Amino acid sequence: MPLLVAAAGAAWAGAPDGAAAFRRGEGLSAGIAGTSLVLRDRAVACAGCHGVDGRGPFPASEGGQPIPPINAAALSRPTAVRPGYDAASFARALTEGVASDGRPLAAEMPRFRTEAGMAEALFLFLGQLDRDETRGLLPDRVNLSLPAGEPAHAAALAAMAAFNRGDGFWGRLPVEGSPAFLDLGEVLAGLSARMDEGRQARLAGLAADIPDALLLTEAPEPSSLPRDRHIVADARLVGPLAQILRERGNRLTLLAPPPEAMAWARAEGLGADAAEIRMLTSGALAILAGQGRGLSRSRARLAIDRAEPADWLRRYDF
């Protein structure tokens, strides 16, 4: 019986909150088999061990201990050693530590004490979580919502076209579509903000490593351009003045997007901002591809949120 259908009876007004239990351990307490130890709240949150999407720990299980997935698809699918779980066998596993085939679960799996209806609420939530985590994932493509407005939309499309000349996400190609697996406009806004913070730190670090470097923090006035200095700057600040600065005997160390992004922007008659959007889109797509075949929304967002997009900028010395 499908997981959601089997657990549908748990969805009543005022039912225990399966989402809060899964993510924060609310409404749960537990002990470790063979001990008197009592665990509460976040210490017993399902997501803490089984991952934010229920598909296993992220990025790896603590101490090398194997931790199985508990997402709906994995639980309901029979394996070589056990039948699939239904609502009743899931509740028994949760509260008694007994697998769907009657074997005791590993001692590391807590034995839970829950309020009435919590096992059913958790079971129902796992089905909803699985559906939410894979919305927009299709056998041959991954739907993404792209940023609105130009040139951001054109830059994102160009990055996707270049990415799709490869294998995509293990055979799934990212496309603009609905329902969206991720809002790429939102993702890019977050990456851009973090890049701006990291860019300043990178520029300061470069300047500190160069004797007598001049770190530019704002665009120089054409009438007061320096001479015979080693200038460190964001390429966007220097812009068309780069040639004049070189003619005045200056050396330049600039941070800018990779050559392919810069070449695309020049060919389209666009500026460095568009090149940065293309770079950030390419970086986000590469992170998604790095998640392997088992893509999920929460896992992808965690990986993106841990990225350092300022590291994607290239150093150019002239």
Side-chain angles (χ1 to χ4, degrees):
M1 184 179 296
L3 196 61
L4 284 173
V5 174
W12 65 86
D17 189 342
F22 177 87
R23 293 179 174 131
R24 299 184 295 279
E26 294 179 12
L28 299 177
S29 64
I32 299 299
T35 76
S36 59
L37 183 65
V38 176
L39 306 173
R40 294 185 182 278
D41 298 333
R42 289 187 181 273
V44 295
C46 309
C49 290
H50 295 279
V52 291
D53 55 3
R55 298 184 176 202
F58 179 82
S61 56
E62 186 174 351
Q65 294 298 317
I67 299 176
I70 59 168
N71 60 305
L75 283 178
S76 61
R77 182 172 55 245
T79 71
V81 298
R82 63 155 177 82
Y85 281 89
D86 58 16
S89 57
F90 176 81
R92 190 179 179 204
L94 191 72
T95 58
E96 300 177 29
V98 177
S100 59
D101 64 350
R103 292 176 299 109
L105 296 173
E108 291 81 8
M109 174 66 182
R111 273 51 172 171
F112 289 88
R113 292 180 289 278
T114 70
E115 58 187 281
M118 179 57 78
E120 292 87 351
L122 262 173
F123 194 65
L124 177 64
F125 172 72
L126 290 174
Q128 183 62 49
L129 178 67
D130 225 18
R131 190 166 62 179
D132 290 344
E133 289 291 333
T134 59
R135 186 175 63 247
L137 288 181
L138 299 169
D140 60 345
R141 64 188 185 276
V142 179
N143 289 335
L144 298 174
S145 174
L146 300 193
E150 299 297 348
H153 185 265
L157 277 177
M160 287 204 315
F163 181 83
N164 286 344
R165 288 194 281 271
D167 187 41
F169 308 132
W170 300 81
R172 290 179 171 132
L173 299 183
V175 299
E176 186 173 18
S178 180
F181 176 69
L182 282 180
D183 183 341
L184 197 56
E186 178 186 334
V187 167
L188 294 175
L191 286 172
S192 181
R194 294 208 311 280
M195 181 180 63
D196 287 341
E197 295 175 4
R199 180 183 358 232
Q200 299 310 312
R202 276 198 67 187
L203 288 169
L206 290 173
D209 290 338
I210 298 172
D212 299 321
L214 173 61
L215 175 60
L216 292 184
T217 58
E218 56 185 25
E221 292 293 335
S223 59
S224 58
L225 294 178
R227 291 180 178 273
D228 302 316
R229 298 293 302 273
H230 193 143
I231 296 172
V232 177
D234 175 358
R236 297 176 305 176
L237 291 180
V238 174
L241 297 176
Q243 184 60 36
I244 299 174
L245 286 167
R246 292 284 291 134
E247 291 170 355
R248 288 175 170 244
N250 296 292
R251 296 181 61 192
L252 303 179
T253 293
L254 307 177
L255 284 184
E260 60 271 17
M262 297 289 286
W264 170 82
R266 284 194 298 270
E268 297 294 322
L270 300 172
D273 287 342
E276 288 191 356
I277 292 296
R278 173 162 176 168
M279 177 194 74
L280 293 175
T281 303
S282 297
L285 295 175
I287 290 172
L288 292 180
Q291 301 305 297
R293 298 181 188 277
L295 269 177
S296 74
R297 179 174 290 101
S298 293
R299 198 168 295 244
R301 288 306 303 260
L302 271 176
I304 289 169
D305 290 345
R306 292 174 180 179
E308 297 291 345
D311 292 343
W312 303 343
L313 294 166
R314 298 286 183 88
R315 171 179 174 169
Y316 296 85
D317 291 291
F318 304 96

